[in-house]
Amino acid sequence: MMRVIKFSAALLSACMLAAAAQAQTMPKEELVFLTGEWKGERFADGRPKIPDDLLERAGKIGIEEAWQVLNNEGYKNQFEGNWKMVNDSVKVVGRVVTAQYMPSRPDVEAKIKERGKAQGRKGNTNAWPIETLTKGDVYVADCFGKIAQGTLIGDNLGNSIYAKTGTGVIFDGAARDLAGLADIKGFNAYVRDFDPSYLESVVLMGLNTPVRIGHAIVMPGDLVISEREGVLFIPAHLAEKVISTAEFIGLKDKFGHDMLKSGRYAPGQIDNQWTDEIKNAFLKWLDAHPGESKLTRAQLDAFMEKRTW
């Protein structure tokens, strides 16, 4: 009996240590399960790792075309608009790192900070997600739309984020130090508003867990793309399909505009299923515009055979 008790105590201790090591994060097995459609490389914590070349291509596609592909695939809850920005000419594109904040209560916050301190974490809990960021990541935080005392970053944390990621942030909350953030070249933040107050009565309750950003559901490792009208969260397993399809739609539109301006084809010809003559004209147009497309000839042929994209 004593051996059983000792074994149970050791097992309980091990489980407690494993739980503590998660530090508000989702267990790797659960994250892999929920993102199981992704078959590619993952980070050590289980987050899907979309390749860098896809991130580069994603920065050049239109959000409307990407939204259309997701909508056709049945993903209806991936877009959120109504933002304020630090710099509306800079896109925020990358792999999502999520954080969920909640209104604080003293007993819960004390426990979370006690555990974080034991793990070597420093500062307030809004700094902890920044410790996990790598190049190409986008820090996406659900701060329940809080503005006053909901300022998750100022210019100090903004500089740290940009140094680590080369991208920006998307906060269902606020930021402070707008002038300082605007001085960070290449950085952008999508926030609900800016406010001079300090962060108060907010605690980190989830790190790399599913979060809700307005009307959108967001998973760690999603691909986020953005334009002035809003942000779109693309499931990792659909990233390549969305990017390739959006690239083709963009090429098709550029070709169509050129043909319509020149008067070579009528709108009814461009907007309907293409004839072989138009397909050949499109391929010749691509030859005359090198660097426009990353798509293979096989991909182009497959897209041209479809009636809708």
Side-chain angles (χ1 to χ4, degrees):
M1 178 63 73
M2 186 59 68
R3 288 182 178 177
V4 173
I5 292 174
K6 287 182 178 179
F7 175 77
S8 298
L11 180 60
L12 177 60
S13 177
C15 289
M16 291 174 67
L17 287 172
Q22 296 300 328
Q24 311 307 105
T25 63
M26 174 183 290
K28 178 178 179 179
E29 294 75 16
E30 181 69 4
L31 180 53
V32 171
F33 172 74
L34 291 176
T35 59
E37 295 300 312
W38 170 256
K39 306 304 181 184
E41 185 180 356
R42 293 180 180 268
F43 289 96
D45 63 0
R47 188 165 57 105
K49 186 177 183 180
I50 296 170
D52 290 341
D53 66 311
L54 285 182
L55 297 186
E56 182 181 353
R57 290 166 61 188
K60 301 174 183 178
I61 65 174
I63 203 167
E64 289 85 0
E65 292 84 1
W67 177 90
Q68 180 180 334
V69 180
L70 286 182
N71 191 66
N72 291 344
E73 292 287 329
Y75 288 77
K76 310 289 186 179
N77 303 303
Q78 304 305 131
F79 175 80
E80 177 65 8
N82 301 311
W83 300 97
K84 291 189 177 180
M85 288 168 273
V86 167
N87 187 341
D88 65 6
S89 65
V90 174
K91 294 183 177 182
V92 175
V93 177
R95 310 177 190 92
V96 167
V97 168
T98 65
Q100 183 184 49
Y101 294 89
M102 290 188 182
S104 184
R105 50 181 270 180
D107 57 338
V108 174
E109 183 165 354
K111 288 293 185 184
I112 289 172
K113 288 184 173 179
E114 179 184 350
R115 182 172 66 188
K117 183 178 180 181
Q119 296 169 336
R121 297 185 182 273
K122 298 177 176 64
N124 198 13
T125 59
N126 67 310
W128 296 1
I130 299 172
E131 298 171 5
T132 73
L133 297 173
T134 62
K135 192 64 68 176
D137 285 342
V138 174
Y139 177 13
V140 177
D142 172 10
C143 197
F144 52 95
K146 186 175 184 180
I147 296 172
Q149 289 81 49
T151 49
L152 291 174
I153 64 166
D155 55 0
N156 284 340
L157 293 185
N159 273 285
S160 177
I161 290 167
Y162 188 71
K164 287 175 174 287
T165 67
T167 61
V169 302
I170 296 164
F171 292 162
D172 191 2
R176 63 192 308 271
D177 298 323
L178 174 56
L181 291 173
D183 283 340
I184 307 172
K185 302 303 181 185
F187 177 82
N188 194 9
Y190 284 75
V191 297
R192 294 308 184 189
D193 212 337
F194 298 93
D195 197 85
S197 60
Y198 290 102
L199 184 71
E200 290 185 304
S201 300
V202 169
V203 64
L204 178 70
M205 291 298 293
L207 178 56
N208 272 333
T209 61
V211 297
R212 179 175 71 88
I213 300 296
H215 299 91
I217 177 173
V218 188
M219 293 296 297
D222 279 356
L223 168 65
V224 61
I225 64 173
S226 66
E227 294 198 24
R228 283 183 292 178
E229 57 262 55
V231 296
L232 186 69
F233 301 99
I234 302 169
H237 69 281
L238 289 175
E240 185 167 11
K241 181 173 185 177
V242 169
I243 292 167
S244 296
T245 307
E247 285 175 336
F248 176 77
I249 295 172
L251 289 171
K252 174 180 174 288
D253 288 345
K254 287 181 180 179
F255 166 75
H257 295 161
D258 280 359
M259 295 302 102
L260 293 172
K261 288 176 182 177
S262 69
R264 181 172 178 179
Y265 296 111
Q269 293 173 291
I270 292 296
D271 292 339
N272 289 299
Q273 181 73 5
W274 286 352
T275 63
D276 288 340
E277 178 190 340
I278 296 177
K279 292 176 185 176
N280 288 330
F282 174 63
L283 293 173
K284 289 180 180 178
W285 179 87
L286 284 177
D287 288 339
H289 295 79
E292 285 279 357
S293 175
K294 297 283 187 179
L295 300 174
T296 66
R297 177 58 190 269
Q299 288 175 313
L300 289 169
D301 288 341
F303 281 127
M304 286 189 292
E305 290 304 314
K306 294 182 179 180
R307 293 184 178 275
T308 58
W309 298 280

